[in-house]
Amino acid sequence: METQVAEIAPNIYRLSTYNTDANFMFNQFLVVDEEPLLFQTGLRSLFPLVSDAVGRVIPVAQLRWITFGHVEADECGSMNQWLAAAPNAQVAHGAVGCMVSVNDLADRPPRPLQDGEVMELGDKRMRRVETPHVPHGWDAGLFYEETTSTLLCGDLFYAIGNSPALTEQEITGPALAAEDVFRATCLTPSTGPTIRSLADLQPQTLGLMHGPAYAGNCAQALKDLASAYDARLAAEGARIHGPVSPID
Ligand SMILES: [Fe+2]
Ligand SMILES: [Fe+2]
């Protein structure tokens, strides 16, 4: 395995490792600025590969912020390895996630972020958007880089297989095909509306954790994904409860 590096928006680098055995890719994003930020750390076992990839862009020791969407091995498994490699780095995560997990998991105290809080990295502005239980995890959230309109959307649109660094080919179909296999998404009444609200940001690029970065009509893709999950929630409700409302 090797980790590919590609710039998907100005000074936003996608680090991508394709695992052939799993037929699945694991991506991280490096935002280069006065205070460089890593979004998603990768698995502990991938740290040698991913840290080497970061080192091709900036010295690893310069990293200032270690961030991720939610607590899970591929999101934050290597956070303490990053903290050890970058003495000035600090984990920044949603306040709920810090309280529930990261205060305990991280080797140095994390910075808790409120919903909508902006981290100013220099020129770049990273806005934390809390998305509880979307696609999964109480502490789930995403980052929106405002100056490039880049939504680092984590597990949303996760897909099976390898993919190019950046595409305009539609990503909703592959995401639903992967969902048919893995069922990783928490289907609740708030799933569709939460994803639909991300479309209101009008992102120009989506950074997928497991898939390509997408530079097509991002708002429409988010709306399509939201509608597909709404339909799946309704179908699942009918399957479990029958045609009668569970409230009656
Ligand atoms: Fe996840
Ligand atoms: Fe993931």
Side-chain angles (χ1 to χ4, degrees):
M1 283 193 296
E2 62 178 320
T3 300
Q4 310 281 344
V5 178
E7 190 175 15
I8 55 132
N11 281 322
I12 299 181
Y13 294 83
R14 172 184 182 267
L15 318 172
S16 183
T17 312
Y18 173 63
N19 182 318
T20 49
D21 293 336
N23 190 25
F24 206 59
M25 64 188 348
F26 296 90
N27 305 328
Q28 301 79 35
F29 296 88
L30 174 65
V31 182
V32 175
D33 208 329
E34 287 171 31
E35 299 188 8
L37 177 145
L38 183 67
F39 178 65
Q40 295 156 180
T41 72
L43 300 160
R44 283 201 307 162
S45 60
L46 288 183
F47 180 75
L49 285 176
V50 179
S51 59
D52 177 77
V54 167
R56 280 179 248 152
V57 184
I58 60 166
V60 171
Q62 284 185 6
L63 275 175
R64 177 67 181 91
W65 299 108
I66 308 298
T67 66
F68 42 89
H70 50 273
V71 172
E72 206 168 32
D74 59 352
E75 297 263 357
C76 67
S78 62
M79 74 172 125
N80 288 324
Q81 290 158 287
W82 290 103
L83 289 177
N88 296 319
Q90 185 178 10
V91 173
H93 189 50
V96 167
C98 287
M99 176 186 71
V100 173
S101 298
V102 182
N103 285 340
D104 183 70
L105 292 175
D107 282 347
R108 293 198 289 273
R111 169 180 167 181
L113 301 172
Q114 303 302 317
D115 182 30
E117 184 171 344
V118 174
M119 301 175 73
E120 302 209 11
L121 306 182
D123 292 331
K124 296 276 192 287
R125 294 172 51 83
M126 298 291 292
R127 181 180 294 278
R128 171 80 185 182
V129 181
E130 293 296 293
T131 61
H133 304 290
V134 179
H136 46 245
W138 182 13
D139 62 321
L142 304 170
F143 280 94
Y144 183 60
E145 202 294 296
E146 295 182 340
T147 69
T148 57
S149 303
T150 302
L151 180 65
L152 301 180
C153 65
D155 285 333
L156 291 180
F157 296 101
Y158 74 97
I160 297 167
N162 207 348
S163 61
L166 190 63
T167 187
E168 294 187 15
Q169 293 206 336
E170 76 97 15
I171 55 174
T172 308
L176 295 174
E179 183 68 21
D180 285 339
V181 175
F182 290 113
R183 297 185 177 274
T185 302
C186 220
L187 284 182
T188 78
S190 65
T191 308
T194 300
I195 296 172
R196 207 167 280 115
S197 72
L198 297 171
D200 295 339
L201 296 168
Q202 294 292 324
Q204 299 300 303
T205 306
L206 301 176
L208 280 59
M209 186 188 208
H210 311 284
Y214 179 65
N217 187 334
C218 299
Q220 189 60 51
L222 288 159
K223 289 175 190 169
D224 291 346
L225 189 68
S227 296
Y229 283 139
D230 282 344
R232 284 171 178 228
L233 176 65
E236 189 68 358
R239 187 185 71 78
I240 293 172
H241 299 293
V244 179
S245 164
I247 299 169
D248 293 338

